[in-house]
Amino acid sequence: MAYPDATNTNRSKPYISKGVHEIYTKYDTRMLDVCGELVCTTGGFTRVWSFLDGELLMSLSMGEGQKGTAVMFKPGAHVDDEGTKVWIGNNHGELLEADIGTQRITDSLPNAHGRYEIIRIYRHFNEVWTLDDSGALNVWGPDESHTPTLSNGPSQSFRVPRGHTFSMVVGDELWYATGKDIRVFKPTVDGKTQFQVLLRALCQQDAGEVISGALLASDPDRVYFGHSDGKVSVYSRKDYTCQCIMNVSQYKINSLAAAGSYLWAGYNNGKVAVYDVTQTPWMVKKEWVAHENPVIKLIADHSTSYRLDRYQVVSLGADNMVRTWDALLQEDWLEGEMKRKDVEYCEFQNLKVLIMTWNAGASTPHSLRYSESDANFFRDLLQTSDSPDIIIFGFQELVDLEDKTATAKRFLKPKKKEGSDQERMSHQYRDWRDFLIRSLDDYMQGDLYHLLHTSPLVGLFTCIFVKADLRGRISNLSSNEVKRGLGGLHGNKGAIVVRFLIDDTSLCFINCHLAAGQSGANQRHNDVAAILDASVFPSERDPAVRIDSYVGGGDGTMVLDHELCVLNGDLNYRIDTMSRDTVVTAVKQGNLTKLLERDQLLVAKRRNPGFRLRAFDELPITFAPTYKYDVGTDNYDTSEKKRSPAWCDRLLYRGRGRIEQLDYRRHEVRVSDHRPVTGRFRFLVKRIDPKRRAQAWMECQQLWEDLRAKEAHAEKYYYLTQVIGYDEATSERLIKEQASRRQMNRSPSRRQA
């Protein structure tokens, strides 16, 4: 089963530039429909608002004991008549027609569906289909005015199975789901066509119930269905075969919508994600929190392109908020295009970076002296490092976390008044800082390094050095901590996060110590998510700097906003489903492949689409597990607990092609129960030429306008042919006439230009 690629996900919210972004319905709302600038919601009330200014245009009470359960804008006799009336179905089987301009019920049919609740109203060109919870499907054909009417009753009535979970109109067919089963029907006004298209239901046993679906205008042969277990199945309209199943999320997909070549998904956790389904595997283009509660409905409104010359997706949340989003994702496109063009306006330089991660097991610099190999570790590391421009030392457990009394004292003891950084730093951290400074002075002769930053957090310690000639190019230095111990209250587990800019490139370094234990993989996953989702840095307010120096629509507040990231630490991921003795034997035999297949981190990257470290790369591991040793020996743990060996100590990076890792090594330092791990990297950093950048920005703006015009024409054509039902010639004529009217309505100077 395939998973989408979330490596380059954009997190900014795609606000639409004109009109109001959100409307609060002020009542429990579960159904809505959209027609250009108009949105209609129903429930205890049926209300219509304008997206242009947020004005409430119509409000009708459904009456005591009654509520609207389905709603749709009524087809007009002409495209310009669209959006003047709505059809409402209620929980007593009644259909109502309301006029928005007069705010009145203009027609009704009390027993349109007996006493059964009407659960869906569909549009099929100028027909209306209505469905109730007993399985009765009524077709309402147009009268002499070319619009459907309630006066004459339904043109035809059909039966479908009970237990409806989702349905949608696909061409002339109704694709109808009950649980995992999908059936295909063909309702008609005259009833002369075979109603049931397929003798057997379509079903995918490996996916949950079908609860949402969408059609892509750019790929009309495929039908997409969202399932309750976070999967999306794709069917062919030609032969009704299932072409693939994509495991996109661990959350329920409440709604799907299609905009251009992108599939939008609304989730039970309030997030909306946008997928580029033209890529293999699919690419997660965007994901953001759209609502505080579950997303109930997404609508990609094709009418907006014709009525407002824009393209929007509308979301309804269980928070009773209706929000509009830019379906074309303009800001994302501009950012992506500027990133692609940066070779035209930037100068680049490779920097050498050395990073060490080590769970030191409460050891001190003094304790290295008892063994020759331990004593020479830092000397050998530095002298073989090829004179790096940046050196980062990331320690874990510089204090004894196994000493529960001391840990409790650190947690419960009230903080003293904070003084300087040096005064706050404990003796242990100062010893290591001073030792590292001396080591660089002694072993990196000919190179002058500055101590850029140090950060401690209950055993975690990050120490960053940079070459003297690089220091003046560094700006926006900031650090913070994310505590994950005791439910986020204590720093015995968590991360130190440091970021800075070199010229116009943002760098972020994360030093982690995640939850321990063989069975703690899910807690470790949660720790990672909390660290990556935390807003830990000041926000960058300049939109140009956001585009130039950050990625993924970020403002620099979060880890993944940065262009170049390295995550190191005791991640504590273990080897699953193997006994300790089996692991030790495999290590002795050099059969690392067998063990790496069971490594929890690598397994999660393969199998868990929501695992946040899928956004990072890791050089293949070629060394033995670095944990857990008897201190002072090369023997894996022989204590009473006999912990199984594991690759707890890791280096992962994320650089969108601008980080190259040169090596990935462990070192034989025996003073701790963990072995240190190091990596040498090449970072590509950039410096922007402002004049060339301004020219590139102008070119991007023009390219966008050309693309927007092309997309707008395609959307208008789709709306007129596939929604309204005009033929090709009529549709093209209407588009030209509309463009001419808009040109005439502009000012003389604009028209002349």
Side-chain angles (χ1 to χ4, degrees), residues 200-211:
R200 294 183 179 179
L202 308 172
C203 181
Q204 297 302 317
Q205 292 296 339
D206 293 335
E209 289 191 351
V210 178
I211 54 175

Side-chain angles (χ1 to χ4, degrees), residues 166 168 170 212-216 222-226 256-258 263-264:
F166 176 74
M168 64 178 175
V170 179
S212 55
L215 282 172
L216 283 173
R222 294 177 136 202
V223 187
Y224 295 79
F225 289 103
L256 288 177
L263 187 68
W264 292 51

Side-chain angles (χ1 to χ4, degrees), residues 287-352:
E287 185 178 69
W288 72 99
V289 178
H291 294 272
E292 295 178 3
N293 300 93
V295 177
I296 295 173
K297 185 69 176 176
L298 292 173
I299 294 179
D301 178 32
H302 300 285
S303 67
T304 319
S305 59
Y306 185 81
R307 296 169 67 92
L308 297 179
D309 202 27
R310 73 185 193 200
Y311 191 13
Q312 68 186 12
V313 174
V314 178
S315 66
L316 170 65
D319 52 6
N320 299 320
M321 299 296 295
V322 177
R323 294 194 166 104
T324 60
W325 311 102
D326 176 18
L328 295 178
L329 306 180
Q330 176 180 351
E331 296 302 321
D332 296 42
W333 189 92
L334 289 171
E335 178 186 326
E337 193 64 20
M338 286 296 286
K339 296 290 186 191
R340 283 187 286 273
K341 293 170 72 71
D342 66 359
V343 293
E344 300 176 12
Y345 60 87
C346 295
E347 302 294 333
F348 293 90
Q349 178 191 3
N350 272 310
L351 297 178
K352 292 180 284 188

Side-chain angles (χ1 to χ4, degrees), residues 565-582:
C565 301
V566 177
L567 183 147
N568 73 266
D570 178 0
L571 305 189
N572 256 318
Y573 283 106
R574 309 302 172 91
I575 298 169
D576 266 339
T577 65
M578 277 190 182
S579 69
R580 176 196 178 278
D581 292 344
T582 304

Side-chain angles (χ1 to χ4, degrees), residues 420-427 429-430 433 454 456 461:
S420 68
D421 286 346
Q422 185 171 349
E423 290 169 346
R424 293 198 305 271
M425 191 179 295
S426 74
H427 180 71
Y429 301 122
R430 287 202 305 272
R433 179 201 62 186
T454 59
F461 184 52

